[in-house]
Amino acid sequence: MTKYHQDDLLKALVLSLLIFAGCATCLAQADNLPAEVTVHPEEIGGALPNPYMGLGLWVGPRYYGMNPQKQNSLQDLTTGFGDDAELFNWVLMDWDWASLEPHEGQFDWQEFDAVAQYWSKRNKQLVVRLWTTDDAGWNGNPGIPVLPQWLWDKGLKSHEYIGNGGRKTLEAAYTDPSFRTVFLPELRKFESAFAQRYDKPGTPVIFLQATGYGQWVDWATWYSKVKFPSMKVKHETLAAVMQTWIDTFHHIPLMEMAATDWDRERYLTLDQLLYAKALDVAEANNFGFIWTGFIDGLSGTYDRVTMQRFWPQHPIFAEGNWSYDEMKDQHTHGTVDENVAGAVDWHANFFHLYFGPDLYKRAMQEDKPALSRALGPGGLGYRLVPSSVSWPAQLPAGHLLVVHQSWINRNAGRLYVAHPLKLYLTGSDGKEVFSEADKGFGESTWVAGTTYPVMSVFHLPQSIPPGDYDVRIALVDASGKPKIRLGIAGEDEDHRYRLGTIRILPSDAPKSCTTAFCP
């Protein structure tokens, strides 16, 4: 027998075996070996609102410091905004201890809960500041008592100072024994009552500010200028306050004001500042950090170097220490674009100018384009883009599907909460045939200016019917639901992104193989 005939017999034998194994289609494809598909998704412009970033509304019973005489109704804080604020992804809730616990052990959460539920049902995340210090007033507007009267009646000692509002204000005496014997134990009880309602998996509260020292919620005694016996005593006092929050909350992340205090000239180094304000404790416990004064109020000796130290690992909030109307009418605090540029310069994820209901409506009339630009490429927070994605053009069911990607973050902040990459195989109608999340996908450290290569591996079951399928991706939350919008075209109604197609061939695994994923 010639070699030519031997080759023909060998091919016939192989063909018979493949047909017997149900893999005739495999052979049909064998002459055209699987090629790799590489796509470069089209980037889009425009605003891209996303969770864990962006513009914030403001709600609270009063404008503490600024205009505390105005009492806001429940309607003001909900339907009073007029719409669902599509460009805004989070709501800052300022609420005082005196309103929530007017009598010792007797809490009134009704209005707070109603406002929280209203906005969380509209997919807004909540950032909460429970005022447990004092309101210094603001530029002639007198402050209001934010600590409940029963604390003073219980023996908490105080001292007076003249606040920014021009009137005498009471402040807890931080170095008096009553601060530790009365204030801190009652603060823990108050925090625990809030934790019972909101500190649980899936909470809408994404940040809670640790308060209990200083004017407003600034973690600084700008007007009372409290003097401690030593830097060590100041550190221990502020750390003790902070520790009550750290011990109480296990699901809600904490944040702290990171600007300097009135005595900043005492700090010869950055580490001394961090120590004196117990910000070293906050750093060690993964706090977020907030600064006020964008763009013209950040003049502290250590503000920028503190930001540069914190931002790669800790989310940053940029807060104007004035409201939107003051910025517009006084003409001394820059434009919206300039304020946003200052926040971007600080790698901020979050930005707000006290957009209460009336001011929100005004801003939508006068500055909606600028607010949209804040969420565009190069703006606030993160904007994730897969610049290149590759996968095999065809693959037998039961094989590993290896997907190579390159990702870019176009914006100044970070998606600091990890969201796995989920891959879907669907029919052309979008109906899912297979999906799996790459739980090792970690984008939480991605910053602008760097390209991040990623290889993801997905496990195709043998049961996938042969055929052509759309390849879609999404960044999903812990429940597996698409959560993060990407800066590319191809988004479907379920917030998945169609990238291309793949051909699934019949499984080539031995018939004796019965496990879910066979070699």
Side-chain angles (χ1 to χ4, degrees):
M1 184 180 292
T2 66
K3 182 178 185 301
Y4 177 80
H5 290 104
Q6 288 175 336
D7 290 342
D8 283 347
L9 285 173
L10 181 60
K11 288 182 179 179
L13 178 60
V14 170
L15 177 61
S16 298
L17 290 172
L18 289 171
I19 293 174
F20 180 76
C23 287
T25 307
C26 300
L27 184 63
Q29 299 293 336
D31 290 336
N32 183 19
L33 294 177
E36 189 171 72
V37 174
T38 298
V39 298
H40 302 281
E42 176 190 355
E43 289 197 44
I44 59 173
L48 195 61
N50 258 319
Y52 304 103
M53 60 158 278
L55 304 168
L57 301 176
W58 179 90
V59 297
R62 301 195 184 191
Y63 265 125
Y64 301 105
M66 295 183 175
N67 185 13
Q69 293 88 351
K70 184 180 186 302
Q71 186 77 33
N72 292 314
S73 68
L74 178 59
Q75 181 179 353
D76 290 333
L77 304 178
T78 53
T79 58
F81 282 80
D83 58 34
D84 291 345
E86 63 180 359
L87 288 178
F88 289 70
N89 271 84
W90 60 283
V91 179
L92 178 63
M93 301 183 69
D94 278 328
W95 233 272
D96 62 283
W97 190 349
S99 295
L100 294 171
E101 192 182 4
H103 305 285
E104 183 177 2
Q106 298 178 20
F107 297 94
D108 182 1
W109 300 104
Q110 183 175 356
E111 188 168 290
F112 183 98
D113 289 347
V115 175
Q117 291 168 13
Y118 179 88
W119 288 112
S120 61
K121 285 180 180 178
R122 286 156 178 78
N123 298 315
K124 309 302 181 194
Q125 296 177 310
L126 308 178
V127 177
V128 177
R129 297 194 297 203
L130 299 174
W131 284 55
T132 63
T133 51
D134 48 291
D135 177 7
W138 185 256
N139 291 344
N141 286 318
I144 60 171
V146 297
L147 290 180
Q149 179 60 42
W150 59 263
L151 265 178
W152 309 116
D153 297 340
K154 200 174 178 71
L156 177 62
K157 301 301 182 184
S158 65
H159 64 259
E160 286 186 338
Y161 69 95
I162 303 298
N164 193 330
R167 80 174 187 184
K168 292 182 179 179
T169 302
L170 283 183
E171 179 177 36
Y174 302 109
T175 58
D176 186 87
S178 64
F179 187 74
R180 290 182 179 268
T181 61
V182 177
F183 182 85
L184 291 184
E186 295 302 332
L187 178 63
R188 280 183 181 270
K189 293 177 185 178
F190 177 56
E191 294 165 6
S192 296
F194 184 84
Q196 289 173 10
R197 305 181 79 81
Y198 288 98
D199 191 47
K200 56 190 69 176
T203 177
V205 182
I206 59 168
F207 271 103
L208 180 64
Q209 186 162 343
T211 61
Y213 166 74
Q215 277 81 67
W216 304 302
V217 282
D218 273 6
W219 205 243
T221 54
W222 301 116
Y223 292 92
S224 59
K225 294 181 168 51
V226 173
K227 296 180 179 179
F228 290 86
S230 67
M231 193 179 295
K232 181 175 184 292
V233 171
K234 183 175 182 179
H235 167 85
E236 291 174 346
T237 303
L238 272 59
V241 175
M242 206 175 278
Q243 197 64 46
T244 66
W245 300 87
I246 294 168
D247 293 343
T248 303
F249 293 94
H250 307 292
H251 299 283
I252 301 175
L254 300 173
M255 69 174 185
E256 192 57 270
M257 173 67 161
T260 55
D261 207 340
W262 72 274
D263 59 350
R264 56 181 170 264
E265 300 305 325
R266 294 185 60 191
Y267 313 137
L268 301 179
T269 67
L270 174 60
D271 286 335
Q272 284 186 357
L273 164 68
L274 301 181
Y275 176 79
K277 294 196 67 181
L279 295 178
D280 57 338
V281 176
E283 181 179 21
N285 286 276
N286 301 311
F287 280 39
F289 292 99
I290 182 170
W291 273 266
T292 63
F294 288 85
I295 57 176
D296 60 340
L298 287 167
S299 57
T301 307
Y302 293 110
D303 283 333
R304 178 167 289 276
V305 294
T306 303
M307 175 275 291
Q308 290 170 339
R309 178 163 174 169
F310 285 155
W311 85 266
Q313 289 82 35
H314 303 266
I316 301 298
F317 285 76
E319 173 183 297
N321 57 359
W322 46 83
S323 57
Y324 170 79
D325 59 339
E326 288 178 292
M327 181 203 72
K328 293 284 289 187
D329 298 338
Q330 294 180 8
H331 308 294
T332 57
H333 301 304
T335 65
V336 170
D337 281 315
E338 289 169 338
N339 274 265
V340 169
V344 167
D345 183 50
W346 278 58
H347 302 281
N349 266 46
F350 303 92
F351 175 74
H352 86 103
L353 289 174
Y354 289 92
F355 291 103
D358 294 337
L359 302 188
Y360 166 75
K361 293 175 184 177
R362 179 180 175 183
M364 288 299 97
Q365 292 178 349
E366 299 181 14
D367 279 300
K368 186 174 181 179
L371 295 171
S372 296
R373 286 191 292 273
L375 303 178
L380 295 167
Y382 58 88
R383 189 183 183 97
L384 300 185
V385 172
S387 59
S388 175
V389 186
S390 302
W391 64 86
Q394 56 187 15
L395 196 67
H399 279 221
L400 297 178
L401 172 55
V402 179
V403 180
H404 293 274
Q405 313 132 59
S406 292
W407 288 80
I408 300 171
N409 179 4
R410 294 297 188 195
N411 284 16
R414 297 178 299 113
L415 175 52
Y416 60 88
V417 177
H419 285 71
L421 174 72
K422 193 170 186 177
L423 180 135
Y424 305 80
L425 300 186
T426 75
S428 58
D429 59 359
K431 186 176 181 180
E432 180 181 319
V433 176
F434 164 79
S435 68
E436 184 181 358
D438 175 8
K439 295 183 179 179
F441 185 91
E443 70 276 57
S444 61
T445 61
W446 294 355
V447 299
T450 302
T451 298
Y452 295 90
V454 179
M455 184 180 84
S456 298
V457 179
F458 303 97
H459 306 79
L460 299 181
Q462 292 188 70
S463 58
I464 298 181
D468 292 339
Y469 296 99
D470 286 345
V471 176
R472 301 173 193 253
I473 62 169
L475 297 184
V476 300
D477 61 16
S479 70
K481 182 179 179 180
K483 193 72 173 179
I484 306 300
R485 299 182 65 195
L486 306 177
I488 59 173
E491 183 179 18
D492 66 20
E493 62 182 7
D494 295 318
H495 303 301
R496 304 171 303 182
Y497 293 82
R498 183 185 180 278
L499 300 180
T501 61
I502 187 172
R503 174 164 293 174
I504 300 300
L505 308 176
S507 171
D508 58 4
K511 283 186 175 295
S512 60
C513 180
T514 59
T515 60
F517 302 113
C518 295

